[in-house]
Amino acid sequence: MDIIELLKILVLGIVEGFTEWLPISSTGHLILVNQIIQVKQSEAFVNMFNVVIQLGAILAVVVIYFRRLNPFDRRKRSNQRIATLRLWMKIVVACLPAMVFGLLLNDWIDRVLMDNAYVVAAMLILYGVLFIVLERYNEGRKFKMERVGQISFQIALYIGLFQVLAMIPGTSRSGATILGAMFLGCSRGAAAEFSFFLGIPVMFGASFLKVVSYLANGYSFTGIQVFYLLFGMAVAFVVSVYSIKFLVGYIKNNDFKFFGYYRIILGIVVLAYFGVTALAG
């Protein structure tokens, strides 16, 4: 086993777990980190690895919110079970736009935009500015929806449309949905939680389609590569648990402006790094 390669897998798992749930774009971070540490594996492995660590991240949401999202929990009263089923129906409604546009545009986006660092940088900066502008607009304003349960089916669908924007690399799925939910009147806490919940079917579905695609094309991996995949997934899971808890605690007393500034700085760094690399090449 190559210890250096294992350390690279560890770093990428940490980056995915930490950035997937914060509105700062896991894709932007992974592209930059990948360029710096350069995992010495096949392109097929790297693509599969990016899928698998996302599965690790989404499992963290399932574990943390298992009772909240389980409509069959015997400890819940009848009205609580009904409320949970309604929440799942809203999640499904919100996921419909991503399902439709994902099937239509996924291959094109992977082919044209996924490895385009300039698109990533532009989206990092753009959404960073939008977060700052929206938070300044919301100063002193009262949110119409303080809890996830207050989100209507119509609002859920609109949030789902914002989620489609996350197909553009560098946007951040959580960033797009949180920004959209807050724009529509959700509190920071409700926006963040609903974004977590939306990630379950969307990320599982996208990962399933990509895994099936790789298997259908006859890709196979060595035993050590399978170990790398499972190790990266486990790291992403553990770090995601802490990342989600951090964000939930952070937004109780803070707004998202910090993340907006961070996105702008990261976007400039990505732009400068790849710009210098292009000139040097």
Side-chain angles (χ1 to χ4, degrees):
M1 181 184 298
D2 188 334
I3 299 300
I4 299 300
E5 201 71 358
L6 186 63
L7 288 174
K8 293 177 181 178
I9 297 297
L10 173 65
V11 170
L12 291 171
I14 292 173
V15 171
E16 166 63 24
F18 189 69
T19 61
E20 182 63 52
W21 305 109
L22 303 181
I24 54 178
S25 177
S26 60
T27 302
H29 286 78
L30 287 172
I31 286 177
L32 185 60
V33 174
N34 260 316
Q35 285 290 322
I36 295 171
I37 66 176
Q38 296 182 348
V39 174
K40 294 179 180 178
Q41 301 291 330
S42 66
E43 183 180 350
F45 171 85
V46 172
N47 290 334
M48 178 65 83
F49 179 78
N50 289 337
V51 171
V52 168
I53 57 176
Q54 279 192 332
L55 286 176
I58 196 62
L59 283 173
V61 177
V62 176
V63 170
I64 292 173
Y65 292 98
F66 184 77
R67 184 168 183 267
R68 172 87 173 274
L69 295 172
N70 182 10
F72 308 109
D73 190 329
R74 293 181 179 180
R75 292 171 292 180
K76 288 184 175 180
R77 297 189 299 273
S78 177
N79 64 320
Q80 291 177 316
R81 294 179 184 179
I82 293 173
T84 305
L85 287 171
R86 283 179 59 83
L87 173 59
W88 272 110
M89 291 170 65
K90 293 173 185 177
I91 292 171
V92 170
V93 167
C95 289
L96 290 176
M99 290 172 59
V100 173
F101 287 98
L103 290 172
L104 292 174
L105 300 175
N106 187 63
D107 289 342
W108 179 81
I109 288 175
D110 278 352
R111 187 175 65 254
V112 177
L113 300 179
M114 187 54 68
D115 293 323
N116 192 319
Y118 300 106
V119 171
V120 171
M123 292 301 102
L124 282 167
I125 294 170
L126 173 61
Y127 281 84
V129 172
L130 290 176
F131 264 113
I132 295 168
V133 170
L134 181 61
E135 283 291 15
R136 287 182 176 173
Y137 174 76
N138 283 331
E139 287 178 358
R141 294 173 62 88
K142 183 176 176 59
F143 293 104
K144 293 182 292 185
M145 291 162 278
E146 292 287 346
R147 303 185 308 277
V148 170
Q150 295 176 304
I151 296 175
S152 67
F153 284 94
Q154 183 179 24
I155 294 297
L157 179 62
Y158 292 158
I159 295 173
L161 291 172
F162 276 95
Q163 184 171 237
V164 173
L165 299 174
M167 294 180 67
I168 303 173
T171 298
S172 167
R173 192 199 59 79
S174 61
T177 51
I178 289 173
L179 189 72
M182 289 177 60
F183 176 77
L184 294 167
C186 294
S187 68
R188 297 179 188 91
E193 280 198 344
F194 198 64
S195 174
F196 297 156
F197 301 159
L198 287 188
I200 296 175
V202 168
M203 291 170 66
F204 266 125
S207 298
F208 175 76
L209 289 175
K210 288 188 178 181
V211 169
V212 169
S213 175
Y214 292 141
L215 295 177
N217 288 319
Y219 291 119
S220 61
F221 304 104
T222 65
I224 191 61
Q225 286 180 322
V226 172
F227 173 76
Y228 287 155
L229 291 172
L230 295 176
F231 179 66
M233 178 178 174
V235 171
F237 168 79
V238 173
V239 177
S240 287
V241 170
Y242 288 99
S243 179
I244 291 169
K245 291 182 177 180
F246 163 76
L247 182 61
V248 171
Y250 177 86
I251 58 179
K252 287 180 179 178
N253 301 307
N254 301 277
D255 59 30
F256 284 102
K257 279 188 283 191
F258 169 80
F259 296 107
Y261 291 120
Y262 178 85
R263 287 182 65 105
I264 293 171
I265 293 170
L266 180 64
I268 294 172
V269 170
V270 171
L271 196 61
Y273 177 84
F274 286 97
V276 171
T277 302
L279 290 174

